[in-house]
Amino acid sequence: MRKSTLIFLLAALALAAGAIAQSITGDLVVNVTDSSGGAVSGAALNLVQVETNVKLSAVTDSLGNYLFVQLKPGRYTLEAGAPGFQRANLTDIAIAIGQRSHVDAKLTVGAVNEAVSVSAAAETLLTESASVGQVIGSRSIVDLPLNGRNFIQLAQISAGAAPIGIGTSPATSWTGRGDSTLSIDGGRETNNSFLVDGIETRNSRFGSAGIRPSADAIEEFSVQRGTFGAEFGRSSAIINTTIRSGTNGLHLALFEFLRNRNMDATDFFANRSGSSKPALTQNNYGTAVGGPVTLPFYKGKDKTFWFFNYEGFRQRQATTSTGLYPSPAQMAGNLADDSFGTGIFPLSSAFCQANAGSAKCHDAIDPSSGLPFPGNVIPANRLDPIVQKQLPYQPKPNVAATPNSARFPSFNTVGFPKTVNDWDQYNVRLDHHFTSRDVVYGTFSNSDESLLRPALRPLGGDVFPQSDRLYTVTYNRIITPALINEFRFGYNRSVTYRTAETSNTQDYASQVSA
């Protein structure tokens, strides 16, 4: 299945006073009052992002209010001041993706050079929007244990969400992945929108996520359901993700996660067949690095930032699989061989006389004469040569069965087909602040994945290749305190399909028919 989507979004001249929080940013409503609760108009506000030291300045209106719009998710501090009042410093203001927060700054009479500091962590309220959802920040994404570091696992434990397993939906069956989709509030998986930096990445046919950014590349993501702003559409639930940006400090992270079978228990079927533990080797490694752009001729501190992330994944995981197959003697013509519990006995045999009605009792009829083969043994010269050529691709029974049992065993073959899952992903982001009112940033994400799910029968598995490319560019311009403009360009291409394990390999049909 191929998907090629070109999205061109232009939100022109939107009134800031009436605008809802943009899809990949947050807003902050500030209300400044004096000790009696009266509005303080004309109060000077300075909002600073902690990580980048980028400052936004504004003045409150006649009601003591001001709306800071299109803020990047992260931590902020706010300084509020007015003539005749002490300055108020509010710290630990958290701006979340897709949300509009509200803080109150209370000024007390005093000298302008005096200041009162207050932590806003417990005071930030979400009273400006009816949106219902949950925001998960970068620290939770990185710190919480995730098998495979897939952030959608965290989305699956948010309120109203439920995972969807392999084989129970088109997306999981046709992409081979049960960790790229979910059901929210009982809705279908196709009802979910997966946004990355404001661009839709949903698989247009199956509804699953396209690119799933590395946990170290995500600033935060939100699961929005029920009600949300008019800028969101096409879905009843939104999984909204934004890529991390660089900061004023140079930060480097390296990681390697290794998992193997040494601490695993041997399962029942492996014990039954006398086999060792199923194979398991999983390596998950990568890096995340970012900071200000620093060149011999340019210093980007407080203005220009870069971020790069790479993550690789290599997995070899065997799973226990069981089946019921004829014995080698049966495939050589002796259908009555019951060494592995699959014997077919003549109706006149002592076994069938003692076990009348057994499913094992049938006469093998010679089509040329219409008479049973003696003892249900087919002569070697009567065996189909094509069938004999395919024997190397048929599992051999390896679990002993109770001899001369009236019933077939539930299984007589145990195998450990090995899933092979490899992928590499890159995420890049560049931000530049021309002024406090003009910001442009772009991202590029690239992911290539190969997934082989083999079967107990050799060459009977499926291959699920998947590749994703995502380009985004966003330009925000605050024209006046009441007038803003946002321009966004995005290109997303997702390619995923399901093929047989033998596709694009050898011509096995000609080998067995020659």
Side-chain angles (χ1 to χ4, degrees):
M1 203 289 296
R2 293 178 178 272
K3 173 188 176 186
S4 182
T5 305
L6 180 64
I7 303 175
F8 182 79
L9 300 176
L10 178 61
L13 305 180
L15 286 176
I20 305 296
Q22 296 300 311
S23 59
I24 59 174
T25 57
D27 294 348
L28 177 66
V29 177
V30 180
N31 177 248
V32 182
T33 60
D34 58 23
S35 56
S36 65
V40 179
S41 63
L45 303 176
N46 290 307
L47 184 68
V48 179
Q49 187 179 21
V50 175
E51 292 85 358
T52 62
N53 202 37
V54 172
K55 182 170 72 173
L56 299 172
S57 299
V59 176
T60 58
D61 60 19
S62 60
L63 299 177
N65 295 324
Y66 187 82
L67 172 62
F68 289 98
V69 297
Q70 296 180 333
L71 301 175
K72 289 199 303 183
R75 295 181 299 128
Y76 288 79
T77 62
L78 175 70
E79 180 186 84
F85 293 94
Q86 296 178 347
R87 288 180 291 108
N89 293 323
L90 281 72
T91 60
D92 298 324
I93 299 173
I95 299 300
I97 184 173
Q99 293 187 354
R100 175 173 291 179
S101 302
H102 181 114
V103 295
D104 294 313
K106 299 184 184 300
L107 302 184
T108 58
V109 176
V112 177
N113 59 357
E114 296 178 344
V116 177
S117 297
V118 178
S119 174
E123 299 181 8
T124 304
L125 302 176
L126 303 176
T127 61
E128 306 294 325
S129 170
S131 177
V132 177
Q134 180 177 359
V135 176
I136 300 178
S138 59
R139 181 166 183 175
S140 297
I141 296 170
V142 173
D143 290 350
L144 291 175
L146 296 173
N147 185 14
R149 293 167 55 78
N150 180 3
F151 79 96
I152 293 181
Q153 294 175 4
L154 293 179
Q156 291 174 344
I157 63 175
S158 63
I164 298 177
I166 288 289
T168 59
S169 72
T172 56
S173 297
W174 287 97
T175 68
R177 298 160 179 86
D179 58 358
S180 62
T181 187
L182 69 164
S183 171
I184 297 179
D185 287 346
R188 294 185 177 184
E189 59 189 351
T190 53
N191 291 345
N192 301 328
S193 181
F194 293 91
L195 300 180
V196 178
D197 284 330
I199 302 301
E200 180 68 77
T201 65
R202 170 174 47 183
N203 187 300
S204 60
R205 181 176 182 184
F206 304 122
S208 56
I211 194 165
R212 293 164 292 163
S214 165
D216 281 83
I218 298 175
E219 178 65 34
E220 64 181 31
F221 76 93
S222 67
V223 180
Q224 296 166 261
R225 54 191 175 83
T227 57
F228 32 75
E231 71 272 24
F232 300 104
R234 303 177 60 193
S235 305
S236 60
I238 309 290
I239 294 85
N240 196 1
T241 307
T242 182
I243 299 296
R244 242 173 163 179
S245 65
T247 64
N248 268 333
L250 181 62
H251 298 279
L252 170 66
L254 299 171
F255 61 88
E256 158 73 15
F257 297 93
L258 170 64
R259 181 185 170 197
N260 55 39
R261 64 180 180 178
N262 292 344
M263 299 298 291
D264 292 350
T266 304
D267 65 26
F268 167 81
F269 297 101
N271 282 331
R272 178 76 182 273
S273 63
S275 303
S276 59
K277 301 176 186 178
L280 172 60
T281 303
Q282 179 174 300
N283 291 86
N284 196 185
Y285 50 89
T287 183
V289 57
V293 172
T294 303
L295 301 172
F297 53 88
Y298 179 76
K299 304 300 180 184
K301 186 176 181 181
D302 297 344
K303 294 181 62 177
T304 310
F305 311 95
W306 63 277
F307 174 80
F308 171 79
N309 161 255
Y310 163 75
E311 182 166 355
F313 184 82
R314 302 291 184 269
Q315 183 189 63
R316 305 293 183 269
Q317 182 174 17
T319 55
T320 303
S321 183
T322 61
L324 188 64
Y325 287 91
S327 68
Q330 288 180 296
M331 296 307 299
N334 183 9
L335 302 185
D337 177 70
D338 199 40
S339 57
F340 288 96
T342 54
I344 304 297
F345 296 94
L347 293 175
S348 59
S349 65
F351 174 87
C352 291
Q353 297 299 317
N355 297 277
S358 171
K360 290 185 173 183
C361 294
H362 293 280
D363 284 333
I365 304 300
D366 184 347
S368 62
S369 65
L371 300 175
F373 284 107
N376 276 2
V377 177
I378 302 174
N381 62 354
R382 300 290 302 277
L383 297 176
D384 191 324
I386 294 180
V387 173
Q388 298 303 302
K389 288 183 180 181
Q390 66 86 34
L391 290 181
Y393 306 108
Q394 179 173 303
K396 305 296 189 296
N398 55 12
V399 177
T402 303
N404 296 323
S405 172
R407 297 182 178 181
F408 290 109
S410 57
F411 67 93
N412 63 3
T413 308
V414 174
F416 304 95
K418 186 182 296 184
T419 296
V420 178
N421 188 13
D422 295 338
W423 53 265
D424 296 281
Q425 183 183 119
Y426 303 88
N427 295 281
V428 180
R429 174 164 173 160
L430 183 65
D431 296 68
H432 180 67
H433 297 254
F434 295 99
T435 67
S436 62
R437 295 175 177 271
D438 293 271
V439 181
V440 63
Y441 56 91
T443 66
F444 169 65
S445 297
N446 178 87
S447 180
D448 289 292
E449 181 173 0
S450 176
L451 174 62
L452 165 64
R453 292 192 180 278
L456 177 61
R457 184 181 74 259
L459 307 179
D462 294 302
V463 178
F464 304 89
Q466 178 172 308
S467 66
D468 297 280
R469 307 288 184 273
L470 176 64
Y471 304 83
T472 75
V473 177
T474 301
Y475 172 63
N476 290 331
R477 165 71 172 168
I478 301 176
I479 301 172
T480 71
L483 200 63
I484 63 172
N485 181 75
E486 179 179 78
F487 169 87
R488 179 173 299 131
F489 168 85
Y491 176 82
N492 173 57
R493 178 175 174 81
S494 178
V495 180
T496 178
Y497 46 93
R498 176 180 181 175
T499 65
E501 184 179 353
T502 54
S503 297
N504 303 314
T505 57
Q506 303 180 47
D507 185 358
Y508 293 98
S510 63
Q511 293 180 27
V512 299
S513 61

